[in-house]
Amino acid sequence: MPTLWEYIFGALFFSFCIIGMYRAEKRGEQKMKTIPACNGIPEGIQRSVEMGRPVLFEFGSIALNLYSQYIGPALGILNEVAKESARLGAHLITISFDPPSTAIMEEIVKNNYILYGRTMEEMDNRYVAGTDRGFTVATLAILEREKPGAHFLMGTTSYDAVIVCQAAADIGAFQVAGAIQTFQLPVMSVICDYVLIGEEFAVAGSVFSNKLGQLGTIVGHDWAKAVLVGLLILGAILAQFGLKIVMS
Amino acid sequence: MSFVRSFIPKIVLSAIIVITILSYFLGIVPLSNGVSIVNQYVIIMIAFSLPLGVINLVGRNIKNIQNKRQDWLLDIAMLVSLTVMTVLGIFFGVTNTIYLWLYNNVNIPVGAMVMALTGLYIASAAYRSFRVRNLEGSLLLVSAIIIMLWNAPIGAALFPPILPIGNWFNNYPLTTGNRVIFIGFALGVISLCVRYIFFRENITGEST
Amino acid sequence: MAWEVNNVIAAILVIGVISIAFKDNIFFKFVERIFIGITLGITLTAAYGVIVNNGIIPILQGNYLVIVADIMGLLLLSRFSKSYSWLSRYTLALIVGMSLAIFTRTAISALIIGSIAAVVNTPLITNNLLGTVSNLYAWVGLVAGLVYFVFTTGGIPKQGKPIFNIFSRIGRYTIMIYFGVYFGSTVLGRETVLLERISFVLRTFGIIP
Amino acid sequence: MSDVIKFIRIPKNQSKVIYALIIIVMIFSYTNPILLPLNVDLETQAYYNTIVDLPAGKTILLAFAFDSGQWGALGGAAIATLNLLQTKNDKILISPFSSVEGGLMIQRCLGLQKGGYNALGKYGVDWVILPYGPGDETFYAAMMQEPNGMHTAQGNKDYFGTNMENLPIMDNVHSHKDIDLLICIGGAGAGHQVRQFGVPYGIPILVADIAVDWAELKMFIDNGAVKGGIKDAVGSAELEKLIGIPGIATSTVAGLSLNHLLIIGFIVVGNIQYLYGRYKKRGGK
């Protein structure tokens, strides 16, 4: 059974996102802090096109049906990568190891290729292995043989991040990585050119879409954090006098 | 027609998220049971959808073989090992001796070595990336070295104060960073759910 | 133990995998193809088991709801047809929606309340210096980290105010220290796995007992 | 200064050199294990003291509950424990707990202990190997039961199928009353040992386990349910140090230490190169 605080935070934070959404649409504008890593994606694709090398996009060795909380935010980012690749005429390779990921990647790339008049034969969505370790080996093989100019690793929480990011750095690929969970963020931040850290990864898709409705929900993030910071300040003051906020 | 093609799937997505979340918060037991049953069915869906992946992979290999692309002989080796393993597994069962031999003497040792590659690549990452370029880079570097000395069995013997220092770094900076990322993580999935529920974002990312 | 046939074969394949770190070579390509083929065979065998035991037998025993799951799975195969590939959107919506929502509903308790409850009741000033420094780090680090991830300048924490910028910068530093500590702590686990694999190869060729 | 920098300048293909150095150092640490200084934890010391302080003539149940995948972490602890038990004249009952591979690990460790396979004394009189019984906790409970669980639960036979009547060591071993110490190598934390041996019968327990399960084991040690503990390869190396016989854990841990020092060395060299490059770019400022 959910606790009292779960109901309070749940109701507050969901409604903050909803209010922020309608507010932004009514006002017709929504200011956003620039996220440096978001500029990395067009830059990487541009570089690849100039060098005549492919662009590689992957979620990492995690499956869609088990980890949509990690892959969900990456769908908006893949949409941007597909749009830029279609627009600039890059050879975009997407790789996956579970059929739902293959299907959803193909759908997103197809929608954007149609938009920019690219043919279906130019699409290169690959199912490369059956297990996470097979996927890691297959990714290594692609990096070594097809030498992509840009490598985008979005969402993974698994050990393969160390291997594929460092192997891509060894072949000189431009890398933008991102994850919403902690596990591989340190390694990504040390190796890659740009990293979308936690919440940045969560909102990047909306920033790319530039739609007011999506940007408005990000205001909900900030109001929620304001509430939490207020709670922390209140808690610190009370704690100094030995009083406690009961929160199990 | 686009109503059925793209609008109804959005309704399905929105409804599933609302039902699953509300069943937890409102404690509607039959709804929760329904959600968990459907969740078990997802495993069945994945199994039925596997041909999508296998045909994608095998098709690519066959094209390589027909066009005699580089290493096409090895693509034949992959198709042979795939066929052998699948036929043995399905028609002779997972207790078949050859299946078990391949499982124990190829799948497990090679799989363990794939994970062990992290031991090599993390060292190169440490060398190439830790630079005292600026204050942030220096903080990253110093804290990493403290924890590595604290973890290395010889660390405490070489430099005894590393134990209390390492413990402090493992207790405060590590948990503080976790909390910051966790809160951002939770807010991220909440706003993503809101965008899906109110049709502001679509999983197939149409650029309309 | 040394020079056992099975282990020698496994050790040779292990050396094939290590070789990719140096240069792509025919030996690695062979190991890669065989390994991917075998792992996919294992996945197909497991999937066959699920299809028969969970997807077909229950139907024969009267659980007709399972037919819906079978059909939803087959809908993903619509990707092969140009005109009917939109059918797969229903299955994708179900998979993404279900997995995301099941996680999100408990995320508030596990991630938010779990993080805030650990810090909200800690007094910043204590009777000993180390306690005070530690509590201050935990509190300021968390608040500054949250301030660092503020995105909408039009939101409540007005960007540009000195206090806001100071906390945002402190937040950036605490995240960098966090990444350093986390990176340092993963090195031990990664190297232990590699050590075990190398000791396996050495033991197989009788170089060590 | 610049020739020194040039000397340590790593050629263009830097990663390949680093990978080679990592592998060479690891092989070196195994082929000639070197005794690096090592800090002995309290839990390892308690594990060692509990065995040393046990009076002669007692009966010890030594359980093997790990498989070949955990050999790197626990093989050293198993062999070091056998070497320590050689110095005692207690009765040793070796049992493959909760792992089909336990029997294989027992054979391997007996062969690698100091003095070889029969170093523990006369088989059937000083020590015996009991058969593997499936069922985890239900099997342990059956073994401990009065009046004769130690015989009936094992089918009255030892690991090799010999009848227990022909094994003098089993004459006065019948149930929990006759077990004076349980040592468990491996075993996923210590939960089932505490539940089946500690709480019901008060048998003192020692556990060696992998790093992943250390948090749970440490909790049992702190609340006294377990007397002492070995933490993965590092704890095994500490036990080898206490016994004075360096083994595979010492070389694994030496490999870990050298490896960590090597990576720290890489970081230092990388920064010297970087700062020297920046120094040259700014014309010696």
Side-chain angles (χ1 to χ4, degrees):
Chain A
M1 267 305 287
T3 62
L4 175 65
W5 281 106
E6 273 186 84
Y7 283 111
I8 296 170
F9 284 149
L12 265 181
F13 298 164
F14 271 96
S15 44
F16 281 164
C17 289
I18 297 164
I19 295 164
M21 184 174 70
Y22 285 116
R23 177 169 164 265
E25 285 172 347
K26 196 155 70 60
R27 285 177 163 193
E29 54 94 22
Q30 177 54 60
K31 276 186 280 182
M32 258 307 285
K33 178 171 101 174
T34 53
I35 300 174
C38 289
N39 309 331
I41 287 181
E43 184 184 338
I45 296 171
Q46 185 69 40
R47 241 167 63 101
S48 298
V49 171
E50 283 154 12
M51 294 193 294
R53 287 161 71 176
V55 172
L56 179 62
F57 182 96
E58 55 164 313
F59 295 142
S61 64
I62 47 175
L64 186 65
N65 64 308
L66 298 174
Y67 298 109
S68 283
Q69 66 269 27
Y70 303 147
I71 295 177
L75 301 177
I77 299 168
L78 170 57
N79 187 58
E80 177 67 14
V81 169
K83 191 191 304 173
E84 280 298 304
S85 299
R87 188 171 65 83
L88 298 171
H91 169 207
L92 172 61
I93 303 171
T94 67
I95 50 176
S96 59
F97 81 107
D98 63 310
S101 293
T102 313
I104 211 164
M105 281 172 152
E106 193 181 284
E107 181 75 8
I108 292 173
V109 172
K110 188 176 125 187
N111 290 336
N112 285 286
Y113 269 42
I114 291 170
L115 213 61
Y116 285 89
R118 298 279 295 272
T119 65
M120 292 303 106
E121 286 63 34
E122 290 178 276
M123 284 210 302
D124 191 351
N125 303 299
R126 305 180 194 176
Y127 174 91
V128 293
T131 63
D132 60 309
R133 287 167 200 191
F135 177 77
T136 306
V137 166
T139 311
L140 264 179
I142 290 170
L143 287 169
E144 287 291 330
R145 282 162 222 157
E146 302 183 45
K147 299 222 184 309
H151 171 235
F152 301 122
L153 173 60
M154 293 297 172
T156 193
T157 59
S158 180
Y159 62 89
D160 60 308
V162 180
I163 299 171
V164 295
C165 283
Q166 186 54 44
D170 284 350
I171 60 164
F174 183 92
Q175 294 197 81
V176 181
I180 198 168
Q181 176 57 294
T182 55
F183 304 119
Q184 301 306 329
L185 278 174
V187 164
M188 290 171 172
S189 67
V190 165
I191 300 173
C192 300
D193 300 281
Y194 287 103
V195 181
L196 291 162
I197 303 169
E199 218 172 327
E200 291 174 346
F201 175 74
V203 305
S206 303
V207 168
F208 286 131
S209 77
N210 215 7
K211 287 193 224 155
L212 288 171
Q214 295 203 22
L215 291 174
T217 56
I218 302 170
V219 172
H221 285 234
D222 295 343
W223 290 353
K225 283 190 284 248
V227 166
L228 296 177
V229 167
L231 207 58
L232 286 168
I233 293 168
L234 178 67
I237 296 166
L238 293 178
Q240 214 55 53
F241 302 104
L243 303 171
K244 278 197 185 311
I245 296 174
V246 177
M247 184 187 283
S248 62
Chain B
M1 186 54 188
S2 85
F3 182 76
V4 176
R5 286 181 181 231
S6 63
F7 194 68
I8 293 186
K10 288 182 188 170
I11 295 173
V12 167
L13 177 67
S14 176
I16 283 165
I17 293 175
V18 169
I19 291 167
T20 307
I21 290 178
L22 286 188
S23 70
Y24 172 75
F25 279 102
L26 305 183
I28 308 163
V29 175
L31 215 54
S32 292
N33 298 345
V35 163
S36 58
I37 288 168
V38 172
N39 197 31
Q40 284 153 25
Y41 286 172
V42 168
I43 309 298
I44 302 170
M45 294 176 206
I46 305 293
F48 271 96
S49 68
L50 213 54
L52 173 67
V54 174
I55 291 167
N56 178 304
L57 174 63
V58 169
R60 229 179 21 254
N61 274 320
I62 289 171
K63 210 182 293 174
N64 286 350
I65 294 166
Q66 283 165 344
N67 303 339
K68 296 259 187 310
R69 284 238 191 89
Q70 194 198 5
D71 303 330
W72 60 278
L73 275 171
L74 293 171
D75 285 332
I76 293 178
M78 178 198 279
L79 295 184
V80 166
S81 65
L82 167 61
T83 315
V84 164
M85 203 62 175
T86 309
V87 166
L88 286 176
I90 290 179
F91 298 107
F92 297 89
V94 289
T95 53
N96 171 276
T97 46
I98 302 170
Y99 182 91
L100 276 177
W101 191 90
L102 289 170
Y103 191 93
N104 290 325
N105 293 296
V106 178
N107 178 48
I108 290 184
V110 172
M113 186 57 228
V114 168
M115 283 189 78
L117 284 175
T118 54
L120 286 180
Y121 284 108
I122 206 162
S124 180
Y127 167 70
R128 292 161 60 102
S129 315
F130 278 126
R131 291 291 184 273
V132 282
R133 209 177 275 115
N134 45 34
L135 181 56
E136 283 98 339
S138 314
L139 290 173
L140 193 78
L141 186 141
V142 167
S143 47
I145 287 181
I146 285 172
I147 291 296
M148 276 199 271
L149 272 179
W150 177 63
N151 263 337
I154 197 172
L158 283 181
F159 181 57
I162 196 66
L163 281 179
I165 296 170
N167 281 332
W168 190 84
F169 268 82
N170 204 43
N171 283 336
Y172 289 93
L174 189 64
T175 50
T176 300
N178 273 338
R179 292 183 193 122
V180 173
I181 304 288
F182 284 168
I183 291 172
F185 181 6
L187 296 177
V189 288
I190 288 171
S191 67
L192 183 62
C193 284
V194 167
R195 290 196 293 273
Y196 283 153
I197 291 171
F198 291 89
F199 310 132
R200 281 338 188 255
E201 184 168 344
N202 184 17
I203 53 172
T204 49
E206 281 117 339
S207 299
T208 50
Chain C
M1 176 62 192
W3 294 100
E4 230 180 274
V5 175
N6 292 349
N7 286 342
V8 168
I9 293 169
I12 290 168
L13 297 177
V14 161
I15 291 168
V17 175
I18 292 182
S19 66
I20 184 64
F22 297 93
K23 196 177 182 322
D24 192 13
N25 56 78
I26 191 75
F27 188 16
F28 171 77
K29 289 177 183 175
F30 174 73
V31 175
E32 169 218 340
R33 293 320 205 273
I34 299 291
F35 180 61
I36 288 177
I38 282 172
T39 52
L40 189 50
I42 292 168
T43 306
L44 280 173
T45 305
Y48 172 77
V50 167
I51 288 173
V52 169
N53 302 326
N54 307 56
I56 293 172
I57 290 175
I59 297 174
L60 308 179
Q61 294 161 347
N63 177 355
Y64 298 110
L65 210 55
V66 167
I67 298 174
V68 175
D70 301 351
I71 293 165
M72 294 289 282
L74 292 169
L75 281 186
L76 274 177
L77 303 187
S78 68
R79 300 288 338 154
F80 289 121
S81 105
K82 281 201 169 55
S83 44
Y84 289 102
S85 62
W86 54 272
L87 282 168
S88 62
R89 289 180 187 159
Y90 287 89
T91 310
L92 294 173
L94 178 85
I95 289 174
V96 173
M98 179 69 66
S99 167
L100 178 64
I102 281 176
F103 177 83
T104 303
R105 60 188 190 178
T106 55
I108 294 165
S109 156
L111 299 175
I112 295 180
I113 294 175
S115 303
I116 295 294
V119 179
V120 75
N121 289 322
T122 46
L124 299 186
I125 318 291
T126 65
N127 41 31
N128 71 71
L129 178 65
L130 183 62
T132 304
V133 166
S134 306
N135 290 356
L136 267 176
Y137 187 97
W139 193 85
V140 170
L142 179 55
V143 170
L146 294 179
V147 167
Y148 174 73
F149 283 110
V150 165
F151 299 110
T152 55
T153 50
I156 289 179
K158 285 272 175 302
Q159 214 164 17
K161 283 224 168 28
I163 180 76
F164 180 88
N165 287 341
I166 293 165
F167 264 87
S168 185
R169 181 156 288 277
I170 294 170
R172 188 176 165 76
Y173 295 149
T174 48
I175 287 165
M176 281 303 139
I177 295 172
Y178 166 65
F179 281 169
V181 169
Y182 204 111
F183 184 96
S185 58
T186 54
V187 172
L188 177 72
R190 305 292 183 215
E191 300 305 332
T192 308
V193 178
L194 182 58
L195 270 163
E196 193 278 325
R197 282 293 83 193
I198 285 183
S199 70
F200 165 73
V201 172
L202 296 176
R203 202 173 323 112
T204 299
F205 294 123
I207 299 166
I208 60 170
Chain D
M1 174 67 182
S2 61
D3 54 346
V4 171
I5 301 291
K6 215 173 271 112
F7 172 72
I8 51 172
R9 175 178 297 280
I10 292 180
K12 176 82 188 56
N13 241 326
Q14 297 173 345
S15 292
K16 320 295 178 195
V17 171
I18 287 167
Y19 303 146
L21 284 173
I22 292 276
I23 292 171
I24 290 163
V25 164
M26 283 186 175
I27 293 173
F28 171 80
S29 72
Y30 272 114
T31 47
N32 24 39
I34 39 174
L35 279 182
L36 291 177
L38 195 60
N39 196 46
V40 177
D41 282 350
L42 297 175
E43 294 83 9
T44 312
Q45 191 68 55
Y47 182 98
Y48 175 79
N49 294 348
T50 306
I51 295 175
V52 168
D53 299 343
L54 191 70
K58 295 290 179 183
T59 302
I60 298 170
L61 182 58
L62 173 60
F64 279 65
F66 66 98
D67 55 27
S68 53
Q70 295 160 336
W71 176 257
L74 295 174
I79 297 167
T81 303
L82 285 172
N83 290 337
L84 182 56
L85 291 176
Q86 284 176 21
T87 65
K88 315 275 298 168
N89 38 45
D90 294 311
K91 304 294 176 196
I92 318 288
L93 315 177
I94 304 177
S95 172
F97 265 24
S98 71
S99 158
V100 177
E101 273 200 43
L104 298 176
M105 293 302 112
I106 291 172
Q107 299 304 317
R108 182 189 288 184
C109 292
L110 287 173
L112 290 171
Q113 69 178 327
K114 187 162 160 266
Y117 193 85
N118 287 307
L120 284 173
K122 192 164 181 339
Y123 184 78
V125 176
D126 302 320
W127 62 287
V128 72
I129 306 177
L130 300 173
Y132 165 66
D136 283 0
E137 297 196 40
T138 47
F139 172 65
Y140 313 149
M143 264 170 50
M144 289 297 104
Q145 238 159 20
E146 293 176 66
N148 203 12
M150 282 300 285
H151 289 242
T152 51
Q154 329 258 12
N156 274 317
K157 287 191 169 47
D158 78 347
Y159 182 78
F160 305 103
T162 316
N163 214 303
M164 283 193 179
E165 274 67 30
N166 312 332
L167 300 166
I169 190 173
M170 294 306 288
D171 293 350
N172 42 36
V173 173
H174 300 290
S175 69
H176 64 85
K177 288 206 189 91
D178 311 310
I179 304 295
D180 304 304
L181 174 64
L182 166 68
I183 305 174
C184 192
I185 314 283
H192 43 271
Q193 291 96 327
V194 171
R195 278 190 296 274
Q196 297 308 330
F197 298 91
V199 169
Y201 307 117
I203 298 172
I205 301 168
L206 299 174
V207 176
D209 217 329
I210 55 176
V212 170
D213 301 323
W214 178 252
E216 180 191 342
L217 177 53
K218 181 86 165 66
M219 185 186 63
F220 283 119
I221 294 170
D222 292 345
N223 65 31
V226 171
K227 292 281 175 280
I230 300 288
K231 176 185 174 184
D232 208 287
V234 178
S236 305
E238 289 162 15
L239 187 62
E240 285 174 0
K241 174 179 177 180
L242 288 172
I243 294 164
I245 306 169
I248 56 169
T250 302
S251 41
T252 301
V253 157
L256 269 176
S257 286
L258 289 176
N259 179 275
H260 273 59
L261 294 179
L262 185 65
I263 292 175
I264 291 169
F266 288 151
I267 294 174
V268 169
V269 165
N271 276 284
I272 290 172
Q273 267 193 312
Y274 168 72
L275 292 172
Y276 178 69
R278 209 163 65 168
Y279 169 78
K280 264 180 63 181
K281 209 178 294 175
R282 293 182 182 168
K285 277 197 291 301

